[in-house]
Amino acid sequence: MTASGSTTAAAAATTTAAAGTAATTATAAAASRAAGGADERYVVGIDFGTLSGRALVVRVSDGAELATAVHEYEHGVLDEALPSGRALPPEWALQVPSDYVNVLKTAVPEAVAAAGIRPEQVVGIGTDFTASTPMPVLADGTPLCELPEYADRPHAYVKLWKHHAAAEQAERINRVAAERGEPWLARYGGFISSEWEFAKGLQLLEEDPELYERMDHWLEAADWIIWQLSGRYVKNACTVGYKAIHQDGRYPSEEFLAALNPAFARFAVDKVEHEIGQLGDRAGGLTAQAAAWTGLPEGIAVAVGNVDAHVTAPAAQSVDPGQMVAIMGTSTCHVMNAETLASVQGMCGVVDGGILKGLYGYEAGQSGVGDIFAWYVANQVPARYTERARELGVSVHELLTDLAKDQPVGGHGLIALDWHSGNRSVLVDHRLSGLVVGATLATRAEEVYRALLEATAFGTRRIVEAFAEGGVPVTEFVAAGGLIRNSFLMQVYSDVLRMPISVIGSEQGPALGSAIHAAVAAGEYPDVRTAGQAMGRVERAKYTPDEKAADAYDALYTEYLRLHDYFGRGGNEVMHRLKRIRREALA
Amino acid sequence: MTASGSTTAAAAATTTAAAGTAATTATAAAASRAAGGADERYVVGIDFGTLSGRALVVRVSDGAELATAVHEYEHGVLDEALPSGRALPPEWALQVPSDYVNVLKTAVPEAVAAAGIRPEQVVGIGTDFTASTPMPVLADGTPLCELPEYADRPHAYVKLWKHHAAAEQAERINRVAAERGEPWLARYGGFISSEWEFAKGLQLLEEDPELYERMDHWLEAADWIIWQLSGRYVKNACTVGYKAIHQDGRYPSEEFLAALNPAFARFAVDKVEHEIGQLGDRAGGLTAQAAAWTGLPEGIAVAVGNVDAHVTAPAAQSVDPGQMVAIMGTSTCHVMNAETLASVQGMCGVVDGGILKGLYGYEAGQSGVGDIFAWYVANQVPARYTERARELGVSVHELLTDLAKDQPVGGHGLIALDWHSGNRSVLVDHRLSGLVVGATLATRAEEVYRALLEATAFGTRRIVEAFAEGGVPVTEFVAAGGLIRNSFLMQVYSDVLRMPISVIGSEQGPALGSAIHAAVAAGEYPDVRTAGQAMGRVERAKYTPDEKAADAYDALYTEYLRLHDYFGRGGNEVMHRLKRIRREALA
């Protein structure tokens, strides 16, 4: 990949992304074609997000992004009612699988058309998905919610990752696993999330046993979409490991599952277990039906499914051991490979081949990052700021950043805990909440905003330190995701971590990562690492730590840690109690 | 005083107060006169505040408020420069004494004229002042700043209560007093403030020894104004006790003062000591000059000086032991009488006759109350609230209160510490700062606002409990000051304290209290208590605790206390460290 090729591709991607939800034409497509030619080969990466799916057309030879198109899901997130109008209880979050198929039918052909290439030039399709987003289907892959008799049954639908109504089941899983000393528990930082497949499956059994009986497979939407594309049901090594407790070739035992609920004993064997494909493997060839949906040639390679965060690592050319990729958006997901199997405090999980075949893939996370900043701007910033931002034609985030960025480190006198959405790593406690200490009558809105930015950097440092403590040190920190646009934030991370920050060179990291996996599945590259080197983009050490700022942040991080441990490790469980008091008061 | 008389008087006071800074006519004056008559006797109460002085004309027989007028000080607060333009260092706050005299020349005659009475009907004048607000004068009372040769010398001016540049001297006073085991230290909760006379006097000596030599007296503006009115220099029992460390008939010893600075040894004897008058005593008769300034008859009674908070107690008919009067505004000052001398944790002081002759007067305080709410509204409330308040024609405070008031106790899931302006009682630590814990992505602006209101109530409960622990229990809680207008806040205080809240019946509590003292000085009543019963106004138990809310607040108060002690008593001195880090960062 040449530097000019990269610039051209980035321009194309930016232009099309800015145009929003409709299919968009890449203005630089002609230039890209000129650089390639009629024999050039392309792949399509499809990123299935929470509210929409995005297709990206990528050149195999150098990863140039030709065009992209987005399709918003017709049903979005069902968190209040089913399509029938039937109301849902609190904490539910469902989706409709036909929405995913519509992404194939619309966004893919639109992106290919916008790229100005011939469909026959496309040699493969790769996908990534939110996870854990499981669903119940019949033996032939038909979603239960598509059976007319089940259209009004909530449990027949896809349970989106943020469906939080299986908390009771997750608690039981964790308690019983701890009591029994289940060896796999340590692989998940000691905690199985209510968001994952087993908790959601147990909820299905206990709340709608008839549907549980009827379902033949309980699988991730990430794998279901591959089934729709290739006609083959093959699970991916990433989600079986991170979300379905598959470790060392085994799911949890029948004895363990029976201890949760006798009727759940054969859940793994009867409902979950199936062939597993490695990331980058060819799941199969595009079916005639899927070829008709997408307008792409029948038989081209369809890659095994994958997850949005994990697929981004090769797009950032960062799959070597010690290269931690942080996908920073609403929340942050950290993925990193290592040669060895280690126990890292509060990690989401470690999975053999979870990111790249042959390495242990580690995942950690911060539950709230960009959404804390967004909450603050929406709820704690006065009119004079919003008006000023409008006058200047910038976002309120940009204005606050600009006002805060030149203050010396510690000049605001504040420390915040970034737990407004709970804490994933390293405390694994969603009953924690936010804190700001140090406000005086002189404190201004931009100072609290900066303290919140810094708090997320401190949270990241705690995670990086946990990896070092666990024996799998982070040697390079690579940022991806929407927040990389805030260069002040990136500099804060560099100063707080005392590490250079490398930054991915694409605004469509997941879709580019999916395209890379497609190229491997199509045989264009021997493996994902090689494909990432050719097609991925990263700017190494774009930000480097300022020694003076780093020294000053050390003092603040010491304060952060002390508050972190006091409120997060039992010194004062006031956050838990306030949440309980709130729940009871509002009941 | 009849109920209708009270209503009429209140209407008059409200009407005139709303008209702002100019002299204003009381529309209800005619009605009041009809109820009285040409032989009715009146007194004038004058409240000298931070930015202005207010005169109030009050009927002796029943305390009806006929009219009021306000005069803004020409020089306001000198905190950046002297009138000459000479710049002042940070933390300085000075005033110009002639501004006080101008209140006598303008506001008094305007109020009398607006009341529609004949000046000859006025039988006495009483005053109250901010404190500690000391000044250096010659033997005849001439302020040093009025000598042309000293006009450009900062130390020649009045040091307003909020002059905070004597912190180093106060620290030395406290350290040396503790080392020597000075018996009076316990009378001030173990802490002499940098705002008080000895710290400010020591600063004067050390920074401008020539002026220190030249001054004959160091006295409170509260006493200087009485000197101007009556021609007599008589100190008042309130400020000598609370602000000049006068206990059991003695000032601090020469040995102690010499230990601070040898040149300071005779400070008390040479500069401070003078005749002391009890509150409500007649200081003297109105001089011919002061009669000319005010338009009032020469020779009428001038009462001994007093302090704004303390003078309010009789205006609220609440001077009996156990009746705590809280003057709630920007900050809150608590005053209460008791039969016995006790040690109350973190009190500002206990003074024999400090509020009422013959009883021990206790004072405590919260450094930030209304100013925390004002800071929050100015810095943390988004445009949609300010716009909505404008549409509704209400203040943002009213809108936030309205939005928050119907939520069940604990429904916001938050706890705040009300230390944005430090903590006076019971921790006596101005290096503390604010804290909010429990915020989530669902937290709204009105919920944090309510948590701040509640935090000040918790702070008050801690003070009330300290009085009980000290053996001088609070038996009735009486609210005065601007915040009594917020009925939700009053109800929160009642629920949190588990006590009925009585509310003063005047919007001009200090000026009314001064008028009451004037009536006593004029011999119209035998003592201040009796005068207060006749002329003061209070609605007893206007708010009573809701049992269910009180139970719920108990749980939140337990959380408040735990955070209070952790951050306030050495569990984690992060607030101190953040202030130090901030100071060093901005230096």
Side-chain angles (χ1 to χ4, degrees):
Chain A
M1 184 183 81
T2 65
S4 69
S6 163
T7 304
T8 306
T14 305
T15 307
T16 53
T21 62
T24 51
T25 304
T27 53
S32 294
R33 273 202 310 282
D39 295 336
E40 197 73 57
R41 290 184 304 284
Y42 299 93
V43 280
V44 175
I46 315 176
D47 170 39
F48 290 90
T50 297
L51 294 169
S52 64
R54 169 188 298 277
L56 179 72
V57 177
V58 177
R59 187 160 56 208
V60 166
S61 60
D62 62 0
E65 299 174 13
L66 267 72
T68 182
V70 175
H71 177 77
E72 304 267 341
Y73 302 148
E74 287 79 357
H75 299 91
V77 178
L78 307 178
D79 49 12
E80 296 186 341
L82 292 183
S84 68
R86 176 176 168 166
L88 292 169
E91 312 285 346
W92 280 63
L94 306 178
Q95 289 198 318
V96 176
S98 60
D99 289 355
Y100 309 143
V101 174
N102 287 337
V103 173
L104 304 179
K105 292 178 180 173
T106 57
V108 174
E110 286 169 10
V112 170
I117 61 167
R118 288 174 291 110
E120 305 82 66
Q121 291 178 278
V122 176
V123 297
I125 295 182
T127 61
D128 65 270
F129 229 102
T130 66
S132 171
T133 299
M135 57 195 285
V137 300
L138 297 179
D140 67 354
T142 304
L144 293 194
C145 62
E146 293 185 2
L147 303 180
E149 66 268 34
Y150 294 144
D152 203 36
R153 296 275 273 271
H155 278 290
Y157 287 78
V158 181
K159 288 191 169 69
L160 185 61
W161 63 275
K162 64 178 178 176
H163 173 92
H164 286 142
E168 193 274 311
Q169 286 79 12
E171 265 176 49
R172 204 181 329 152
I173 289 170
N174 286 303
R175 180 170 39 78
V176 173
E179 284 167 6
R180 294 173 46 95
E182 293 292 342
W184 41 260
L185 195 57
R187 301 281 175 89
Y188 301 97
F191 185 85
I192 302 299
S193 169
S194 72
E195 292 183 357
W196 298 348
E197 285 186 38
F198 275 62
K200 285 171 172 168
L202 185 53
Q203 186 199 7
L204 167 54
L205 165 70
E206 297 181 341
E207 297 183 3
D208 199 338
E210 180 196 333
L211 271 193
Y212 183 85
E213 263 316 299
R214 184 72 189 272
M215 79 169 170
D216 292 307
H217 301 296
W218 179 243
L219 81 169
E220 292 283 334
D223 297 328
W224 183 81
I225 200 71
I226 298 305
W227 196 344
Q228 303 313 300
L229 285 164
S230 70
R232 265 189 77 212
Y233 173 24
V234 52
K235 300 174 95 81
N236 73 82
C238 180
T239 53
V240 294
Y242 290 110
K243 313 302 178 190
I245 323 184
H246 186 264
Q247 291 285 352
D248 304 324
R250 287 183 300 279
Y251 291 99
S253 68
E254 288 192 31
E255 293 71 28
F256 167 75
L257 297 175
L260 299 175
N261 184 326
F264 202 56
R266 291 186 55 81
F267 173 69
V269 173
D270 290 349
K271 312 293 189 184
V272 176
E273 202 164 71
H274 205 270
E275 178 192 356
I276 298 171
Q278 296 302 308
L279 305 183
D281 282 1
R282 186 178 187 277
L286 195 68
T287 64
Q289 183 182 48
W293 290 339
T294 57
L296 297 178
E298 188 178 339
I300 62 169
V302 176
V304 161
N306 211 328
V307 173
D308 42 15
H310 303 69
V311 80
T312 302
Q317 298 184 331
S318 302
V319 293
D320 286 340
Q323 292 183 311
M324 173 175 275
V325 180
I327 298 88
M328 300 173 61
T330 312
S331 60
T332 290
C333 186
H334 314 76
V335 294
M336 187 183 98
N337 283 315
E339 304 270 6
T340 54
L341 183 62
S343 182
V344 175
Q345 186 191 145
M347 66 181 163
C348 305
V350 52
V351 171
D352 189 1
I355 302 169
L356 198 78
K357 206 164 11 181
L359 289 171
Y360 288 100
Y362 291 78
E363 181 188 346
Q366 289 175 269
S367 333
V369 181
D371 55 3
I372 299 177
F373 313 153
W375 165 81
Y376 183 76
V377 164
N379 291 283
Q380 302 271 259
V381 176
R384 63 181 177 280
Y385 293 86
T386 42
E387 284 159 15
R388 182 74 183 136
R390 196 163 38 231
E391 284 166 20
L392 295 172
V394 300
S395 73
V396 178
H397 291 280
E398 289 169 309
L399 177 67
L400 292 170
T401 300
D402 198 55
L403 290 170
K405 70 182 167 46
D406 294 328
Q407 195 176 46
V409 177
H412 51 46
L414 302 167
I415 285 281
L417 290 176
D418 52 321
W419 300 347
H420 298 66
S421 192
N423 177 294
R424 184 58 185 82
S425 305
V426 299
L427 297 170
V428 197
D429 187 345
H430 290 284
R431 292 175 301 157
L432 296 176
S433 52
L435 176 142
V436 176
V437 61
T440 72
L441 300 179
T443 301
R444 286 162 293 140
E446 64 268 31
E447 296 181 316
V448 180
Y449 182 79
R450 176 168 168 164
L452 292 172
L453 298 184
E454 292 168 346
T456 68
F458 296 143
T460 298
R461 176 162 166 181
R462 186 64 198 83
I463 290 169
V464 168
E465 289 182 352
F467 275 79
E469 291 155 10
V472 282
V474 176
T475 55
E476 182 184 353
F477 194 87
V478 184
L483 291 177
I484 62 174
R485 282 193 291 265
N486 186 330
S487 60
F488 171 70
L489 182 70
M490 293 296 104
Q491 186 61 51
V492 169
Y493 273 60
S494 182
D495 295 340
V496 167
L497 294 175
R498 286 186 173 279
M499 293 178 80
I501 307 289
S502 302
V503 178
I504 191 171
S506 171
E507 296 208 351
Q508 313 298 347
L512 177 59
S514 290
I516 287 168
H517 283 77
V520 175
E524 296 283 338
Y525 293 98
D527 54 49
V528 173
R529 178 189 275 107
T530 309
Q533 288 304 320
M535 299 173 67
R537 279 184 289 283
V538 67
E539 186 170 349
R540 300 283 173 206
K542 180 168 180 180
Y543 301 90
T544 53
D546 173 274
E547 271 306 308
K548 188 154 161 282
D551 288 346
Y553 276 128
D554 275 349
L556 296 180
Y557 180 64
T558 301
E559 302 297 345
Y560 174 89
L561 266 193
R562 189 159 174 177
L563 294 169
H564 176 282
D565 289 353
Y566 178 69
F567 287 103
R569 298 192 196 274
N572 184 349
E573 298 199 326
V574 57
M575 291 174 179
H576 292 180
R577 290 189 296 270
L578 287 175
K579 286 213 169 174
R580 180 181 50 71
I581 288 169
R582 175 171 194 263
R583 204 168 50 241
E584 292 170 3
L586 298 180
Chain B
M1 185 185 81
T2 64
S4 69
S6 162
T7 304
T8 305
T14 305
T15 305
T16 54
T21 62
T24 51
T25 305
T27 54
S32 295
R33 275 202 310 283
D39 295 336
E40 198 72 60
R41 291 184 301 285
Y42 299 92
V43 280
V44 174
I46 314 176
D47 169 41
F48 290 91
T50 298
L51 294 170
S52 64
R54 169 188 298 279
L56 179 71
V57 177
V58 177
R59 188 159 56 206
V60 167
S61 60
D62 63 358
E65 299 173 12
L66 268 71
T68 184
V70 174
H71 177 76
E72 303 268 341
Y73 302 148
E74 286 80 355
H75 298 91
V77 178
L78 307 179
D79 50 10
E80 296 187 342
L82 293 183
S84 68
R86 176 176 168 167
L88 291 169
E91 311 285 345
W92 279 63
L94 305 178
Q95 289 199 318
V96 176
S98 59
D99 289 353
Y100 309 143
V101 173
N102 287 337
V103 174
L104 305 179
K105 293 178 179 172
T106 58
V108 174
E110 287 170 8
V112 171
I117 62 168
R118 287 175 291 110
E120 305 84 66
Q121 293 178 280
V122 176
V123 297
I125 294 182
T127 60
D128 65 89
F129 228 103
T130 65
S132 174
T133 299
M135 57 196 283
V137 301
L138 298 179
D140 67 354
T142 303
L144 294 195
C145 62
E146 293 184 3
L147 304 180
E149 65 267 36
Y150 295 145
D152 203 37
R153 296 275 272 270
H155 278 290
Y157 287 78
V158 181
K159 288 193 170 69
L160 185 61
W161 63 275
K162 64 178 180 177
H163 173 91
H164 286 142
E168 192 274 308
Q169 286 78 11
E171 263 176 50
R172 203 180 329 151
I173 289 171
N174 287 304
R175 180 170 40 77
V176 173
E179 283 166 8
R180 293 173 45 95
E182 294 292 341
W184 42 260
L185 195 57
R187 301 281 175 92
Y188 301 97
F191 184 85
I192 302 300
S193 170
S194 72
E195 292 183 358
W196 299 350
E197 285 187 36
F198 275 62
K200 285 170 171 168
L202 184 54
Q203 188 199 8
L204 166 53
L205 165 71
E206 297 181 340
E207 298 182 4
D208 198 339
E210 180 196 334
L211 271 193
Y212 181 86
E213 262 319 298
R214 184 71 189 276
M215 79 167 170
D216 292 306
H217 301 295
W218 178 245
L219 80 170
E220 292 283 334
D223 297 328
W224 183 80
I225 200 73
I226 297 305
W227 196 346
Q228 304 314 299
L229 285 163
S230 70
R232 265 190 76 213
Y233 173 24
V234 52
K235 299 175 95 81
N236 72 83
C238 181
T239 53
V240 293
Y242 290 109
K243 313 302 180 190
I245 321 183
H246 186 264
Q247 292 285 351
D248 304 324
R250 287 183 300 278
Y251 291 99
S253 67
E254 289 193 30
E255 293 71 27
F256 168 75
L257 296 175
L260 298 176
N261 184 326
F264 202 56
R266 291 186 54 82
F267 173 69
V269 173
D270 290 349
K271 311 292 188 186
V272 175
E273 201 163 72
H274 206 271
E275 177 193 357
I276 297 171
Q278 296 301 309
L279 305 183
D281 282 2
R282 186 177 186 277
L286 194 68
T287 64
Q289 183 181 48
W293 290 339
T294 58
L296 297 178
E298 188 178 342
I300 62 169
V302 176
V304 161
N306 211 327
V307 174
D308 43 13
H310 303 70
V311 80
T312 301
Q317 298 185 328
S318 302
V319 293
D320 286 338
Q323 293 184 310
M324 173 175 275
V325 179
I327 298 86
M328 300 172 60
T330 312
S331 60
T332 290
C333 185
H334 314 78
V335 294
M336 188 183 95
N337 282 314
E339 304 271 7
T340 54
L341 182 63
S343 182
V344 174
Q345 186 191 143
M347 64 181 166
C348 304
V350 52
V351 172
D352 189 1
I355 303 169
L356 198 77
K357 202 163 18 180
L359 289 171
Y360 287 101
Y362 291 79
E363 181 188 343
Q366 289 174 268
S367 333
V369 182
D371 55 4
I372 298 177
F373 312 152
W375 164 80
Y376 183 76
V377 164
N379 292 284
Q380 300 271 262
V381 176
R384 64 181 177 280
Y385 293 87
T386 42
E387 284 160 14
R388 181 75 183 137
R390 195 161 41 230
E391 284 166 19
L392 294 173
V394 299
S395 73
V396 178
H397 290 280
E398 288 169 310
L399 177 68
L400 292 170
T401 300
D402 199 54
L403 290 171
K405 70 182 167 50
D406 294 328
Q407 196 176 46
V409 177
H412 51 44
L414 302 167
I415 285 281
L417 290 177
D418 52 321
W419 299 347
H420 298 65
S421 191
N423 177 294
R424 185 57 186 82
S425 305
V426 300
L427 297 171
V428 196
D429 187 346
H430 290 283
R431 291 176 301 158
L432 297 176
S433 53
L435 174 141
V436 176
V437 61
T440 72
L441 301 179
T443 300
R444 286 162 294 140
E446 64 267 31
E447 296 182 314
V448 180
Y449 182 78
R450 175 168 168 162
L452 292 172
L453 299 184
E454 292 168 345
T456 67
F458 295 142
T460 299
R461 176 164 168 179
R462 185 64 197 86
I463 291 169
V464 168
E465 290 182 351
F467 275 78
E469 291 157 9
V472 282
V474 176
T475 56
E476 183 184 354
F477 193 88
V478 184
L483 291 177
I484 61 174
R485 283 193 291 266
N486 186 331
S487 59
F488 171 71
L489 182 69
M490 293 295 106
Q491 186 61 49
V492 169
Y493 273 60
S494 182
D495 295 340
V496 166
L497 294 175
R498 287 188 172 279
M499 292 179 81
I501 306 290
S502 302
V503 178
I504 193 170
S506 170
E507 296 208 352
Q508 312 300 347
L512 177 59
S514 290
I516 287 168
H517 283 76
V520 176
E524 295 283 339
Y525 292 98
D527 55 48
V528 172
R529 178 191 273 107
T530 309
Q533 287 305 317
M535 299 173 66
R537 279 184 289 285
V538 66
E539 185 169 349
R540 300 281 174 210
K542 180 168 180 179
Y543 300 91
T544 53
D546 174 273
E547 270 306 309
K548 190 157 160 280
D551 288 345
Y553 276 126
D554 275 348
L556 295 181
Y557 180 64
T558 302
E559 302 298 344
Y560 175 90
L561 267 194
R562 188 160 176 176
L563 294 168
H564 176 283
D565 289 353
Y566 177 69
F567 287 103
R569 298 191 195 275
N572 184 348
E573 298 199 326
V574 57
M575 292 173 179
H576 292 181
R577 290 189 297 270
L578 287 174
K579 285 210 171 175
R580 180 181 49 70
I581 289 170
R582 174 171 193 264
R583 203 168 50 240
E584 292 171 2
L586 298 179

